[in-house]
Amino acid sequence: CVVGGAQVTQGDYSAVYANAKASGGEVVMYTLSTCPFCVKAKALLEKQNVRFVERVIDKDKTARKEADGLKINSVPVIYIGDKSMQGFDEAKLVELLNAHAKAGKPAA
C-alpha cells in the first residue's frame, strides 16, 4: 500500500490493457487483497460507474507476474488510458477519470 498521496505518470500502457479489453474494462487496477487504499480506490471506481479490471496480485499468479514485469512495488496502481497512478488520492483519481472521459479516448 502507498500512504500519503499518489504519483501520476504518463506513458504507453497498451500492454497493460491487452487482457483487460477482453474483460471489457476501461481501467486496470493492481491491488492486494489486504490493502485498505485498494478498497477505497475500488469503491470510488464503482461509485463513478467506471468499468475496471482488478488484478489482485496476492491471489492470482498471473497478476503477480504482470505486476513484477511492470515493476509494481506498492499498490494500488491504476492505469487509465495513457496515465498511471500509484497510490490512492481521491481527488487525483477523480481528476484523471474526468480527463479521460472528456478526451473520449478508449483505454487502448
Side-chain angles (χ1 to χ4, degrees):
C1 290
V2 173
V3 180
Q7 177 183 354
V8 177
T9 57
Q10 188 162 346
D12 177 8
Y13 300 117
S14 54
V16 171
Y17 297 104
N19 295 330
K21 280 184 127 181
S23 304
E26 286 186 35
V27 171
V28 177
M29 178 168 58
Y30 287 87
T31 66
L32 284 172
S33 62
T34 56
C35 170
F37 296 104
C38 298
V39 172
K40 289 180 181 185
K42 187 173 156 179
L44 179 62
L45 291 174
E46 289 170 347
K47 180 180 173 185
Q48 297 281 328
N49 294 316
V50 173
R51 291 176 16 196
F52 68 97
V53 175
E54 182 179 15
R55 308 291 287 145
V56 185
I57 62 178
D58 61 334
K59 301 280 186 182
D60 179 340
K61 288 180 184 178
T62 303
R64 175 82 250 175
K65 286 181 184 176
E66 290 172 12
D68 289 345
L70 293 165
K71 298 186 180 357
I72 293 173
N73 55 14
S74 60
V75 290
V77 176
I78 306 164
Y79 293 91
I80 305 168
D82 63 352
K83 295 192 174 35
S84 72
M85 178 175 163
Q86 182 175 350
F88 177 71
D89 179 310
E90 184 172 347
K92 282 185 183 177
L93 181 52
V94 169
E95 183 181 316
L96 284 176
L97 291 169
N98 289 338
H100 181 69
K102 283 180 187 171
K105 292 189 254 179

